[in-house]
Amino acid sequence: MSAGATRREKTDKAKVKDSNLEKEETVFLLQWDALPHQQIPELLHRSGNELQAELKEILGFRNYQTCMKEAALLDYYVCGFWWAKEANFTPIQISFTMAVLHMLLNNIREKQMVLVENLMEFAKALGAACCCSTSETDTTSLLDKEDAMALISYIRNSLFQKYTLYELLFTTSREELLTGMERTIEVFSCQDALTPLEEGISTHICLQ
């Protein structure tokens, strides 16, 4: 009896431990550290320009007006936030959306993930959001089927269909490419005066 009780107790403890690990993983997926959901309500009242200014500070982009990479990334985050706002997502849902956008982009930049691998990471994050509740008292999932389909459609159009461009953005220096490019331009020159084209002559002169 004692041995059986001990085994049962160990099994129960293992289940509790696994449950706690799942909760910790879910919490990690719900928000992006740089933009926690507590900060979202304040940003929802910002205009487009004000939101861009706020995210510029959060992301630390100081040269977005002259650096193509910073400009593209800032637009990526601003558009993602604005889309979630227009989709009437809650602050926690918006935080999750921004976390997913950041994770997918970071997978390209830091881990050099190919498209298929990043799709699998997205599927894992989305699956957790569709199965797990936002709190212990609320049993509804973070995203319902309609919300999940909308998010899939947005990320497909904004990131996955342009995946190669984002890969090039992190592997190719646009500034070096432009400054190091050489072009030979041939200039036509003629000593004799050129007869003006008929299109360049006034109508009344042409008809004389």
Side-chain angles (χ1 to χ4, degrees), residues 170-189:
F170 293 119
T171 57
T172 305
S173 174
R174 177 67 174 173
E175 290 78 7
E176 292 180 4
L177 182 62
L178 290 175
T179 56
M181 187 180 299
E182 294 184 0
R183 287 289 183 268
T184 301
I185 301 175
E186 295 184 3
V187 179
F188 178 79
S189 62

Side-chain angles (χ1 to χ4, degrees), residues 72-92:
L73 296 179
L74 181 59
D75 183 72
Y76 173 82
Y77 286 104
V78 171
C79 289
F81 187 98
W82 201 263
W83 172 85
K85 173 185 175 181
E86 292 293 316
N88 294 320
F89 276 17
T90 65
I92 295 180

Side-chain angles (χ1 to χ4, degrees), residues 29-41:
L29 292 173
L30 289 182
Q31 69 177 19
W32 174 27
D33 292 340
L35 191 63
H37 68 85
Q38 294 88 349
Q39 192 176 347
I40 301 295

Side-chain angles (χ1 to χ4, degrees), residues 49-117:
N49 291 334
E50 291 172 340
L51 176 63
Q52 177 176 290
E54 291 280 352
L55 290 179
K56 177 198 70 175
E57 294 299 324
I58 292 173
L59 296 166
F61 291 159
R62 300 289 183 266
N63 304 312
Y64 73 98
Q65 292 181 324
T66 56
C67 176
M68 185 190 70
K69 180 183 292 186
E70 288 193 4
L73 296 179
L74 181 59
D75 183 72
Y76 173 82
Y77 286 104
V78 171
C79 289
F81 187 98
W82 201 263
W83 172 85
K85 173 185 175 181
E86 292 293 316
N88 294 320
F89 276 17
T90 65
I92 295 180
Q93 288 176 324
I94 294 176
S95 181
F96 171 77
T97 300
M98 298 302 292
V100 169
L101 289 172
H102 180 70
M103 177 194 71
L104 296 176
L105 198 65
N106 195 58
N107 287 341
I108 301 175
R109 175 172 46 199
E110 302 295 337
K111 301 179 181 179
Q112 289 81 47
M113 279 191 181
V114 297
L115 177 58
V116 174
E117 293 175 333

